[in-house]
Amino acid sequence: MTNLLPQMPEIWQQTLNWQPTQVQQVQFQRLYELILEGNRLLNLTRITEPQEFWEKHLWDSLRGIALQGKFISSLEPGASVIDIGTGAGFPGIPVAIALPNCTMRLMDATRKKIAFIDQIVTKLALSNSQTLVGRAEEVGQQRPHRQSYDIALIRAVGTASACAEYALPLLKSNGLAIIYRGNWTQEETTTLQSAARQLGGVIESIDEFTTPLSQSIRHCLYLRKVVNTPADFPRAVGVPAHNPL
Ligand code: SAH
């Protein structure tokens, strides 16, 4: 095996006050191998080097669910989480591995990506995870999903306002949307504040941090749902992206 992921126990400990168990470490390694394999057919990710995969996919996914140096408390036990536009499974799969007591819904609009994720879920024996093919604009209006999740994760799916429109309708009241970003500016905060307000949410915090290996700047935006989202949202397919709030 040439593609061996680093383990980085000290960095996990220092940054998240957590370390993977041996079982979780094996699941991370297997996930990495499956994605490298799947990449040949599906073009899932550009990030294939072991260190980079560890940092940009594993560490980054788990950093989003941490505040003040540890996993956010509302995540355990039994919290229901949805990953919107999961793609090759990020951030949802690392979160499902790290927090086996939460339930994870891995959602994407692309059927062939979800078919691949189904195989990963089976091969990693992720009994807390289920998949869903769908567009956030439609799923957010559907009974079993609207207002049903404690946490919504969303990374690299669109502008922050579009992400807010995808995520907030799916949350229970008092639920938390976590939007993963690279760069972030004050002007974007103003736009997002107005979008969040229309959707029944508020910006609870904006966390800026650097990644532990390459020292890249990243942001996570935390939106709290404070009142019900009006029935008009999410708007029809394509509207949140093309005409953002
Ligand atoms: N979250 C992953 C993948 C990002 S690529 C990561 O960070 O690595 C964006 C993914 O979002 C694609 O797989 C695309 O199919 C999906 N997507 C884009 N718009 C969507 C929508 N409106 N509803 C559901 N999935 C969507």
Side-chain angles (χ1 to χ4, degrees):
M1 169 47 53
T2 49
N3 291 304
L4 199 57
L5 276 180
Q7 301 208 358
M8 310 285 187
E10 317 75 24
I11 300 183
W12 285 125
Q13 190 61 49
Q14 280 158 20
T15 55
L16 300 181
N17 194 31
W18 173 84
Q19 290 184 24
T21 63
Q22 203 155 15
V23 169
Q24 288 165 329
Q25 187 60 44
V26 169
Q27 287 176 310
F28 286 160
Q29 177 63 35
R30 189 82 181 104
L31 172 65
Y32 178 45
E33 291 165 13
L34 290 168
I35 286 181
L36 291 181
E37 256 173 63
N39 236 1
R40 283 191 239 129
L41 296 169
L42 284 173
N43 200 17
L44 298 162
T45 178
R46 289 173 291 109
I47 296 166
T48 55
E49 289 308 311
Q51 301 254 332
E52 207 190 357
F53 186 94
W54 181 88
E55 178 180 60
K56 303 229 165 86
H57 282 331
L58 299 184
W59 186 87
D60 189 67
S61 292
L62 297 186
R63 178 60 181 77
I65 57 159
L67 274 175
Q68 274 115 39
K70 51 182 196 291
F71 290 146
I72 47 187
S73 52
S74 59
L75 266 164
E76 292 248 50
S80 62
V81 185
I82 184 164
D83 181 12
I84 301 164
T86 190
F90 303 103
I93 290 179
V95 171
I97 291 172
L99 301 175
N101 294 325
C102 72
T103 63
M104 176 62 66
R105 177 72 72 172
L106 300 157
M107 191 244 279
D108 201 281
T110 306
R111 184 169 298 277
K112 65 180 201 283
K113 288 194 181 163
I114 289 299
F116 174 74
I117 300 280
D118 280 330
Q119 292 179 28
I120 293 188
V121 166
T122 305
K123 289 178 178 165
L124 299 184
L126 291 175
S127 56
N128 62 343
S129 302
Q130 290 184 292
T131 59
L132 179 65
V133 179
R135 294 203 58 103
E137 299 93 319
E138 289 168 344
V139 173
Q141 294 289 0
Q142 288 165 5
R143 251 237 177 274
H145 298 289
R146 190 179 178 89
Q147 214 148 308
S148 301
Y149 297 92
D150 297 298
I151 309 254
L153 309 173
I154 185 161
R155 189 180 84 162
V157 178
T159 64
S161 297
C163 290
E165 186 166 347
Y166 297 151
L168 283 162
L170 292 164
L171 293 174
K172 297 175 188 167
S173 104
N174 211 35
L176 191 66
I178 305 179
I179 303 175
Y180 292 64
R181 308 291 304 183
N183 291 322
W184 188 251
T185 62
Q186 183 56 47
E187 300 84 81
E188 290 176 287
T189 300
T190 310
T191 311
L192 180 61
Q193 240 152 13
S194 141
R197 197 175 316 115
Q198 295 174 69
L199 296 161
V202 293
I203 302 178
E204 187 163 278
S205 59
I206 297 177
D207 204 1
E208 178 179 312
F209 52 90
T210 51
T211 61
L213 303 182
S214 64
Q215 259 48 262
S216 323
I217 295 201
R218 305 268 308 149
H219 294 79
C220 276
L221 320 170
Y222 298 85
L223 306 189
R224 182 73 63 183
K225 182 161 178 173
V226 289
V227 294
N228 278 350
T229 305
D232 315 352
F233 302 113
R235 292 168 293 168
V237 168
V239 179
H242 294 120
N243 183 17
L245 291 173

